[in-house]
Amino acid sequence: MTDDHPHINGGQAAASPAKRLKVAHHKPQPRPSRIFTPFRTLGLVSPTFVPFTSIPLGKTTFQITTSVGQCLHTYDLRRGLNLLFITRPQTPATITATVAWKDRVLAAWGGEGAIQEPGVWVFQRGRKCAELEVPDRLNEPIRELVVFGSWIVGRCLSRIEVWKSASYEHYTTITPSASSGFTGSTLSGGFCNVPTFLNKILAGKGDGSVDIWNVSTGKLVYTMLSPDLSSGAVTAIQPTPVVSLVAIARTDGSITIHNIQTDRAILKLNAQSGRNTNITSISFRTDGHGAGEDGQESGIMATTGTGGSDVTIWDLSNGGKVVGVLHGAHNLPSSVHGGVSGGISRVEFLPGQDVMVTSGLDNALKSWIFDANTLSAVPRILHSRSGHAAPVTRLSFLPTSSDDADATGKWLLSAGRDRSLWGWSIRKDGQSGELSQGAVRKKAKKLGLVGTGLGIDSSICLDDLKAPEITCFACSLNRDGGMGAAPGAGGIWTNVASKKGTSDASESGMAGWESIVTSHRGDKYARTWFWGRKRAGRWAFETTDGTEVTSVAISACGTFALVGSAGGSITMFNLQSGILRQRFPAPLNPTQAKKLKLQPSDDRLPSATTPRFEPGHGRHRKAVTGLLVDPLNKTIVSCGMDGKIKFWDFHSGLLQDEIDWSPMTAITGVQYYKPSDLVAFSCDDLSIRVIDLETKKLVRELWGCLGQINDFCFSNEGRWIIAASMDSVIRVWDLPTAHLINAFRVESPCTALAFSETGEYLATAHADSVGINLWNNRTLFTHVPTRKIGDDEIIQAILPTSSGESGQSLLYTAFDETDRDIAEEEDVLIEHAPPDVNTLSSDLLTLSLVPKARWQTLLHLPTIKARNKPTEPPKAPEKAPFFLPSITNGTPEAKALTNGTSHSSKEVDSATRVSRPSISSSTKSEFTALLGTFATQQQDRDPEPLLNHLSTLAPSAADSVIRTLANFDEMTAFVQALTVRLGQKRDYELVQTWMSVFLRCHGGVIVGEDDEHEGGIEALRQALRDWRQEQGRESKRLDELVGYCSGVAGWLRSTR
């Protein structure tokens, strides 16, 4: 026995702890952006140190739960790791431990800081159902949770907390004592219970010893000392399938199979020969196979740790030996492999199955299966669910294809520092996946990185065999063959220039070809990809000067790929055949070179009849940072670090024009908005400049970024430019006014962003996260003020989450309660509001602010009613439903019930018919009153109150009040009101709609004859003549304005 004495706080008779008062810290609260509201986060599977937890679901499948920060994801193994639940609500702090128990999952959170309080929540089918009682003065995070018998036990850094599993009440706190001279954490790791040992828990300590505690009495039962003082702290403890035996791992890499009844070491193993020596997870195979000479014995053990990427398979049947190493199961940790997250957090054999599950810090969850018909001790991959293992650096929504408009805005492409290219489905997470880079694992086997080979100490990681990190990509789906695209008979990423013979493009010409081109860091090859087949393509395009590829582009037709290099060269390749088609500038043939050499120097000066740029000249002097092709394949635009924008002829390769901004600035990026031919350039002086592609003139300069511009894009309508900079602020500019209309600060710098072509989503990626955040565009559903803002109005935004709890769906965005706060803010800042439409020039024709759907519905209301009319009236049932009549004093009252039902239904029907006109009459009386007020005005007649009220009515209500105009006086007054508003040049489309409805409803009365009301008809006809005269005058003026604007635009676009 040991001399350590535990300190017991509480017990069965202990009073419940007092609730602690939370300290209020006045910190600026995050607020939603005006334009963008958080939706949810994509791409998170297992990015944290918290290991997964699993539980059998009947006899057919297992549910596996992982932590993604402040919520949990539950996957179904039988369905290929299909996502089942995402827990809501989010925990107040980051989750530190999880455990699955029965049909529930317990999650411990918080306790990392001095202010942050810990807690334990219980979730059932993704919903919070209970909360454990937290003891007083608990300021440590709970690192492990174990549930057995009637107890829930949690391990902290220096104490053990015990709860009752039936009532979730806190039972006791156990505080182990540290050994003399030991200064580290008392409880270092390793925490489990042993089957058949009642109320006993094993806790590993920092000095290498293991304590056995009775959680019911709170007493220390026994302490198993470390066999060697230099072994280090306990890192993992796992009970074996054999009763009373446990496996204990320590920091020196040693593993001991220990008998806790006799306190004797049965077997000692040393894992120092492998790449991973720090064992943090141990699991035993329980299906009775895998060990022995014939593989039909039990005794297989798997070990791994967060410090490596391998899983070691041990055979314990004959003294313990390594029979296989699963190399590269997950990525190496960030400290080893260039900042990419890695390491294995847990390995576990599923009970009674030949399946092993691993989770890694590389944001991956994988299942592996041992084949019974092979002698290999290393399993093969069964299922995989993963995401980016490093922060995302490039984002783009998939462009619209010519025949797949339904997928517009529903797929997202992303590239990260982990050398991968992913396609994300916004609709269904299960459809997301990484684009294959070929047989990477097969290559690793040839190098000895994957397989049964032992003793390999290679510094090469599995991901080192992938293509380098993607720096930019371009996509066009117009010639993508989908799943039927021909991958070609050769290998992937073939360099056509070094390939002998000619390329046969007949097969790809029928089925389509690659649709994605990527550039890679430090690589002189641009690579192609099949989007439909989700795999690497056939070609690798080499730069002509042998320098690194810095920019790529694809023509709108999807046939040609452009490659720009760090040396300034630009090359065009054919995606179907992989052949080089053009260089920019085009090289001179011998005849042209000789002619240019013989030409006198004075004749080389440009004139009105000679071209401005000589053939073969105009190459960029520095790296090409952006490329684009116009939709008609006539002009290619390039920009570079030399501060120049060059316009090339697509077919001849000759330089046509140039804009020089050097040495004022260098250009770092380009974005193209095709519908309006606007091209935006990001510059290293922290500005964004916009030029018109037709006129080649600078039209806008946007300033305001306080750090390097990481990425920017146009909105789907081309009205906004959204930019992210290193100062962690995302800004939105309005192009027509060049005003900054929205800006919000995020927790970490945004490294990439993209705007969907449907206008629904903004996608952002951040420097400290492997997920992709989606934001909803609120302007699609509600009015959002877009006034100019200052730098002092930048807000701290609420980020999206994986559970979507802090965000809003597209539906709820329209009914956001923050609209009220924004409206109040607009009232306070009313002095900054734009002028009212009434104060605009009288020469301008203005439209209304009424939604387009409302007045269009009013215009086509008869068609809509006819379409929605039922084909036949509803029929009464042939027989009444079966029922049991009530009995009063032994006499049935079916007849009374029938009579009462008939009477009440008549009353209800009567009440309905009475109440319906009351609503219509209320609406009509207000309209009639306003119409009468307008009719009585003699001078300065103002139709504003009348028409404002009419514009607020629903389409059916507006049709009703126009249709029920009672007499000729009201009709005349209504036509006069529309004539006055037409003369004011306001609400043009509404006035036309109302007049169309009026003529449709009362046209018969206008053209008819009525001797009794001859005076009223004549007054109405005169009012219509006045309307026609005003309408003709305004239509003529409008035609002249449109013709003038069209002529000016045509003159500006002409080449003369």
Side-chain angles (χ1 to χ4, degrees):
M1 300 291 291
T2 182
D3 294 331
D4 296 344
H5 299 287
H7 304 284
I8 310 299
N9 297 331
Q12 293 183 356
S16 59
K19 298 292 184 182
R20 288 171 288 176
L21 296 177
K22 294 184 178 181
V23 181
H25 297 274
H26 298 285
K27 182 180 178 181
Q29 296 296 325
R31 295 178 53 195
S33 166
R34 292 177 182 272
I35 299 177
F36 301 108
T37 183
F39 179 35
R40 67 188 183 103
T41 301
L42 299 175
L44 297 181
V45 177
S46 176
T48 66
F49 283 88
V50 180
F52 71 89
T53 179
S54 65
I55 192 169
L57 190 62
K59 297 181 179 180
T60 58
T61 186
F62 291 81
Q63 286 188 353
I64 302 173
T65 302
T66 63
S67 170
V68 295
Q70 292 180 255
C71 68
L72 304 174
H73 288 188
T74 301
Y75 301 92
D76 187 359
L77 180 63
R78 184 179 61 179
R79 298 181 182 179
L81 296 178
N82 184 43
L83 181 62
L84 293 180
F85 309 116
I86 300 178
T87 57
R88 296 182 179 89
Q90 284 196 131
T91 56
T94 303
I95 295 174
T96 57
T98 61
V99 64
W101 171 57
K102 295 182 178 179
D103 60 343
R104 304 171 189 179
V105 179
L106 282 71
W109 49 268
E112 297 289 351
I115 303 175
Q116 196 177 68
E117 298 179 356
V120 181
W121 284 2
V122 183
F123 296 95
Q124 186 176 24
R125 295 184 65 85
R127 297 291 179 181
K128 179 186 175 184
C129 61
E131 182 177 355
L132 271 63
E133 183 182 13
V134 180
D136 195 12
R137 296 183 299 276
L138 177 60
N139 55 4
E140 299 178 3
I142 299 174
R143 293 300 185 185
E144 291 185 69
L145 284 171
V146 175
V147 182
F148 65 99
S150 59
W151 308 106
I152 301 174
V153 186
R155 177 189 69 83
C156 303
L157 297 177
S158 61
R159 55 197 287 179
I160 299 173
E161 303 293 344
V162 184
W163 294 269
K164 293 182 178 179
S165 61
S167 60
Y168 302 131
E169 294 179 355
H170 184 255
Y171 179 72
T172 188
T173 299
I174 301 174
T175 308
S177 299
S179 302
S180 58
F182 182 73
T183 59
S185 299
T186 305
L187 301 175
S188 60
F191 192 66
C192 71
N193 70 297
V194 181
T196 72
F197 280 69
L198 185 64
N199 300 331
K200 304 302 187 299
I201 196 79
L202 274 66
K205 300 175 68 175
D207 57 1
S209 61
V210 178
D211 286 347
I212 304 176
W213 294 88
N214 188 321
V215 297
S216 178
T217 61
K219 293 183 179 180
L220 178 65
V221 178
Y222 191 74
T223 298
M224 298 182 294
L225 300 178
S226 174
D228 188 355
L229 296 179
S230 62
S231 296
V234 176
T235 57
I237 302 177
Q238 181 66 27
T240 70
V242 181
V243 178
S244 302
L245 298 185
V246 296
I248 304 173
R250 293 178 172 86
T251 54
D252 64 344
S254 63
I255 305 173
T256 304
I257 308 298
H258 205 92
N259 190 326
I260 60 176
Q261 281 190 330
T262 61
D263 192 14
R264 292 180 55 190
I266 304 300
L267 187 64
K268 294 182 179 181
L269 307 172
N270 188 4
Q272 289 184 351
S273 59
R275 185 189 297 176
N276 174 25
T277 59
N278 188 12
I279 305 299
T280 58
S281 181
I282 304 173
S283 183
F284 292 90
R285 186 172 173 179
T286 57
D287 65 338
H289 298 283
E293 296 295 336
D294 56 356
Q296 300 300 318
E297 300 179 13
S298 59
I300 291 295
M301 178 181 70
T303 61
T304 188
T306 57
S309 62
D310 304 337
V311 178
T312 305
I313 310 297
W314 302 78
D315 185 355
L316 305 181
S317 60
N318 295 319
K321 62 179 180 179
V322 177
V323 295
V325 178
L326 178 59
H327 292 285
H330 293 268
N331 287 339
L332 284 171
S334 57
S335 59
V336 179
H337 190 238
V340 179
S341 298
I344 303 177
S345 57
R346 184 175 185 181
V347 59
E348 178 183 351
F349 283 100
L350 298 180
Q353 305 291 326
D354 56 353
V355 176
M356 180 180 71
V357 181
T358 61
S359 67
L361 303 180
D362 58 350
N363 194 27
L365 177 67
K366 300 179 181 180
S367 62
W368 311 80
I369 188 168
F370 292 82
D371 292 325
N373 55 354
T374 63
L375 298 178
S376 174
V378 179
R380 62 177 175 85
I381 189 72
L382 179 61
H383 300 121
S384 177
R385 189 71 183 252
S386 59
H388 280 289
V392 177
T393 56
R394 286 292 178 266
L395 281 176
S396 176
F397 278 92
L398 210 64
T400 305
S401 62
S402 57
D403 56 353
D404 193 15
D406 183 59
T408 302
K410 302 300 185 285
W411 283 94
L412 184 66
L413 280 175
S414 66
R417 296 211 317 261
D418 57 348
R419 303 184 172 194
S420 64
L421 180 65
W422 279 77
W424 303 97
S425 173
I426 309 298
R427 291 175 173 173
K428 190 175 182 180
D429 288 342
Q431 297 177 349
S432 304
E434 180 183 357
L435 273 68
S436 171
Q437 298 193 26
V440 176
R441 188 166 289 273
K442 187 176 181 180
K443 297 177 184 178
K445 279 188 176 182
K446 294 181 179 179
L447 296 177
L449 298 178
V450 175
T452 59
L454 307 179
I456 299 173
D457 187 13
S458 174
S459 60
I460 301 178
C461 174
L462 190 64
D463 281 351
D464 289 329
L465 302 178
K466 292 184 177 181
E469 175 190 341
I470 296 174
T471 55
C472 69
F473 56 78
C475 179
S476 176
L477 299 181
N478 286 329
R479 298 309 299 266
D480 184 78
M483 288 299 297
I492 64 171
W493 294 332
T494 303
N495 184 11
V496 180
S498 60
K499 183 178 178 181
K500 295 182 180 180
T502 58
S503 300
D504 184 10
S506 58
E507 185 178 0
S508 62
M510 294 183 293
W513 49 80
E514 295 90 331
S515 54
I516 301 174
V517 179
T518 57
S519 66
H520 302 262
R521 188 175 304 279
D523 193 1
K524 63 179 181 179
Y525 293 101
R527 291 169 168 82
T528 62
W529 307 73
F530 289 98
W531 165 249
R533 300 181 65 91
K534 304 294 189 298
R535 54 155 290 178
R538 299 167 294 168
W539 315 123
F541 300 137
E542 184 180 3
T543 57
T544 54
D545 56 3
T547 59
E548 174 186 355
V549 179
T550 54
S551 60
V552 292
I554 293 183
S555 61
C557 62
T559 306
F560 300 99
L562 293 166
V563 179
S565 72
S569 67
I570 302 173
T571 314
M572 182 171 67
F573 296 87
N574 187 297
L575 282 171
Q576 181 181 5
S577 62
I579 300 175
L580 189 150
R581 289 302 183 188
Q582 188 59 271
R583 298 179 182 180
F584 302 89
L588 297 177
N589 56 43
T591 303
Q592 291 175 331
K594 184 177 180 181
K595 181 179 179 180
L596 184 64
K597 184 177 181 181
L598 296 175
Q599 184 179 0
S601 59
D602 296 339
D603 296 341
R604 299 181 187 180
L605 297 176
S607 64
T609 59
T610 59
R612 179 181 173 187
F613 302 98
E614 297 179 357
H617 290 72
R619 174 173 169 165
H620 285 278
R621 299 302 178 186
K622 295 183 179 180
V624 179
T625 55
L627 289 169
L628 62 92
V629 187
D630 72 330
L632 301 179
N633 285 358
K634 289 185 176 181
T635 304
I636 293 176
V637 181
S638 65
C639 61
M641 293 298 294
D642 55 0
K644 295 182 180 181
I645 303 171
K646 298 179 182 291
F647 303 86
W648 308 86
D649 183 79
F650 183 89
H651 301 284
S652 65
L654 299 179
L655 183 62
Q656 295 178 329
D657 206 343
E658 179 182 284
I659 299 176
D660 191 357
W661 290 341
S662 64
M664 179 178 57
T665 185
I667 304 172
T668 59
V670 62
Q671 291 290 340
Y672 180 36
Y673 185 68
K674 296 179 182 178
S676 60
D677 270 349
L678 292 179
V679 186
F681 300 91
S682 61
C683 305
D684 64 354
D685 59 356
L686 311 183
S687 70
I688 297 177
R689 294 174 169 87
V690 184
I691 68 169
D692 188 337
L693 187 58
E694 288 292 335
T695 62
K696 300 179 179 58
K697 301 295 183 182
L698 180 66
V699 294
R700 289 290 184 273
E701 285 190 5
L702 307 176
W703 299 84
C705 293
L706 301 181
Q708 174 188 340
I709 300 174
N710 294 331
D711 200 4
F712 69 105
C713 65
F714 282 94
S715 65
N716 64 312
E717 295 178 346
R719 185 179 180 87
W720 302 335
I721 284 185
I722 305 104
S725 55
M726 285 299 294
D727 58 354
S728 302
V729 177
I730 298 175
R731 294 174 172 85
V732 182
W733 286 274
D734 183 64
L735 270 181
T737 61
H739 289 167
L740 181 66
I741 59 174
N742 190 31
F744 55 95
R745 190 181 305 276
V746 291
E747 294 180 358
S748 64
C750 175
T751 56
L753 53 82
F755 204 90
S756 66
E757 292 190 5
T758 58
E760 297 175 88
Y761 304 110
L762 172 71
T764 61
H766 301 268
D768 64 345
S769 174
V770 296
I772 300 172
N773 294 327
L774 288 182
W775 309 73
N776 282 325
N777 181 9
R778 298 179 65 248
T779 61
L780 294 180
F781 309 98
T782 184
H783 172 67
V784 176
T786 55
R787 62 171 180 82
K788 182 181 179 180
I789 66 171
D791 293 339
D792 56 340
E793 298 179 65
I794 299 176
I795 62 172
Q796 185 74 31
I798 302 173
L799 287 177
T801 61
S802 180
S803 64
E805 182 188 353
S806 64
Q808 294 174 326
S809 65
L810 296 178
L811 176 62
Y812 291 105
T813 301
F815 305 100
D816 190 3
E817 294 181 358
T818 58
D819 290 346
R820 188 181 310 167
D821 300 333
I822 294 176
E824 292 176 357
E825 181 182 352
E826 289 299 314
D827 292 339
V828 174
L829 302 173
I830 193 65
E831 64 272 9
H832 300 289
D836 186 73
V837 292
N838 294 333
T839 62
L840 297 179
S841 172
S842 60
D843 295 332
L844 295 179
L845 178 68
T846 61
L847 304 179
S848 68
L849 299 179
V850 176
K852 182 180 180 181
R854 181 177 295 182
W855 60 265
Q856 282 191 341
T857 302
L858 175 60
L859 191 61
H860 302 286
L861 193 60
T863 305
I864 296 174
K865 288 183 177 180
R867 183 184 59 194
N868 295 339
K869 185 178 180 181
T871 56
E872 59 181 6
K875 297 180 180 180
E878 297 179 0
K879 295 181 179 180
F882 176 79
F883 65 93
L884 294 176
S886 60
I887 303 297
T888 304
N889 297 328
T891 304
E893 292 189 351
K895 183 177 181 181
L897 179 62
T898 304
N899 295 338
T901 304
S902 176
H903 177 70
S904 63
S905 66
K906 289 181 180 180
E907 290 180 352
V908 171
D909 191 32
S910 175
T912 304
R913 285 196 296 267
V914 171
S915 61
R916 282 175 182 168
S918 64
I919 301 175
S920 299
S921 61
S922 173
T923 303
K924 186 175 183 301
S925 61
E926 184 177 357
F927 176 78
T928 305
L930 294 173
L931 187 60
T933 302
F934 173 78
T936 57
Q937 296 175 356
Q938 300 298 329
Q939 298 179 357
D940 298 332
R941 306 178 75 181
D942 184 17
E944 185 81 16
L946 172 66
L947 300 184
N948 282 349
H949 170 70
L950 185 59
S951 64
T952 60
L953 299 180
S956 58
D959 180 81
S960 177
V961 297
I962 296 175
R963 189 179 298 273
T964 56
L965 290 172
N967 49 56
F968 289 105
D969 294 337
E970 291 184 357
M971 295 182 189
T972 303
F974 181 72
V975 174
Q976 292 174 349
L978 297 184
T979 305
V980 174
R981 179 52 64 101
L982 187 61
Q984 295 174 347
K985 300 180 180 60
R986 294 177 53 193
D987 302 338
Y988 185 77
E989 83 282 14
L990 272 184
V991 172
Q992 303 297 326
T993 301
W994 289 332
M995 178 56 72
S996 177
V997 174
F998 175 81
L999 294 177
R1000 184 177 61 211
C1001 297
H1002 304 286
V1005 177
I1006 297 172
V1007 300
E1009 299 292 339
D1010 191 350
D1011 297 337
E1012 185 178 353
H1013 303 89
E1014 184 176 356
I1017 292 179
E1018 185 58 32
L1020 176 59
R1021 291 174 178 173
Q1022 182 59 41
L1024 289 172
R1025 294 188 190 97
D1026 296 340
W1027 153 268
R1028 184 174 61 181
Q1029 183 179 1
E1030 186 66 33
Q1031 172 69 17
R1033 185 185 305 111
E1034 190 62 26
S1035 298
K1036 182 179 179 182
R1037 190 180 74 90
L1038 188 60
D1039 289 341
E1040 293 176 352
L1041 289 175
V1042 172
Y1044 174 78
C1045 294
S1046 300
V1048 172
W1051 179 80
L1052 292 175
R1053 288 176 177 271
S1054 65
T1055 58
R1056 293 176 296 175

